[in-house]
Amino acid sequence: MANIRKYQAKTITEALAMVRADLGRDAVIVQTRKVNKRVLGVWGREMVEVWASDNPDLESLRRPQKPSASTLTPPDSQESDSRIEQLENEIQNLKAMIAQLARHGVAVVSDKVPASTPEHNRWLSLLIEAGVEETIARELLQFISEDALSESALQSLIAERFITSGAITLQEAQPKVVMLVGPTGVGKTTTIAKLAAQYALLQKRRVGLITIDTYRIAAVEQLRTYSQIIDVPIRVVYSGSELPAAVREFSGMDLVFVDTAGRSQRNSMQIGELKACCERLSDCEVHLVLSSTTKTRDLYDIVQRFSVMPLHRVVWTKLDESTTFGNMLNVAVKHPLPISYVTTGQRVPEDVEVAEANKLASLVLGGCSAHAPILTPAA
Ligand SMILES: Nc1nc2c(ncn2[C@@H]2O[C@H](COP(=O)(O)OP(=O)(O)OP(=O)(O)O)[C@@H](O)[C@H]2O)c(=O)[nH]1
Ligand SMILES: [Mg+2]
């Protein structure tokens, strides 16, 4: 019968010397592994553990790999099991953390990690040229091996970063209230006109318009003109306190759009007023309108400053005026808000589309100099 014993030493040489001294020169090594020896109840010294036998029938000994419980269960096997379980849990936690970091756009690699192959470097340069931040471009590229690196693989990866919400969904019992907020001149009023026309004229929904942008006469007139053309009612609200009553007046509607005055993100008082208006409505979907012609740093600043109020969606406007779209990816990674619509021109109601992640990704890659920009063709 095989005589199997365990030996522990600081080094493998020491352990083998012990085996030889005990079992003779013909001893067979069954298994070796590194173990952490508890020192005063703390995981401490790393030791080498050797299981050896004086039976030369190696195969029969090796096959079971795990020595049988009755003869060979090492006294600390339960400890090892629980340690392994603990390590497995830690690995799971780390995996979840990395996935979460990746989802929320925090680069999981240092920006000093180079793209590893010439092809990676080529795409890195193209993405940066398209306006994608270097850290974000590197973080994307590290997920693709050289063999798998192709435009379509990259497009899929980029598409994953764009969260989209689909079109505004209506609710049964009460009107859906949608407020558009954002910096000056990005296209809030025009987008409301486009969407109001699509819901009222194409989908035959009952749509009401409210404007709280009474700072400029022209602003009220602009929305009033659209309301007349589309033939939907409009209410003009002069102070935030009147807003809930105006919404109540539209209780028979399917959809109510609230137009707001363009606010400089750098004016926190104005943003505060807007937030107060928003808080007066218990159930309101806020869409932050951003222009694709704005540079990344300013977009970050805008999203951050408008974030004092609940932001539910992002609308990207003026895609027709941009040549690169890396800034949209940067914002999607840094502030992953669902994108509802994109607008592609001044025409009402045609130039608005429900955002699609794949199209947005192809726009980002279309802005790489190797390709012509891909834009929705103007009909
Ligand atoms: N090229 C292009 N122009 C657009 C688009 N959307 C809006 N515009 C134009 O942008 C200009 C400003 O649009 P508005 O809708 O008045 O913008 P706003 O955000 O309501 O502006 P304020 O209320 O002053 O803050 C107008 O000339 C629009 O025709 C778009 O998708 N593409
Ligand atoms: Mg406006």
Side-chain angles (χ1 to χ4, degrees), residues 55-112:
N55 185 340
D57 184 3
L58 237 186
E59 280 307 300
S60 66
L61 290 167
R62 281 230 168 103
R63 214 169 290 129
Q65 279 297 318
K66 276 195 173 173
S68 84
S70 59
T71 51
L72 295 173
T73 304
D76 61 351
S77 70
Q78 266 186 337
E79 256 172 31
S80 300
D81 285 352
S82 76
R83 178 68 181 155
I84 287 167
E85 205 175 304
Q86 193 185 336
L87 285 171
E88 277 173 355
N89 281 341
E90 279 171 20
I91 290 169
Q92 286 309 325
N93 288 344
L94 281 170
K95 275 186 180 171
M97 210 195 298
I98 289 168
Q100 199 178 7
L101 287 172
R103 259 201 309 281
H104 291 286
V106 183
V108 292
V109 286
S110 145
D111 57 4
K112 297 202 170 51

Side-chain angles (χ1 to χ4, degrees), residues 185 187-190 213 216 219 222 259-262:
K188 297 176 293 296
T189 308
T190 313
D213 182 4
R216 294 176 299 117
Q222 186 189 4
D259 192 13
T260 62

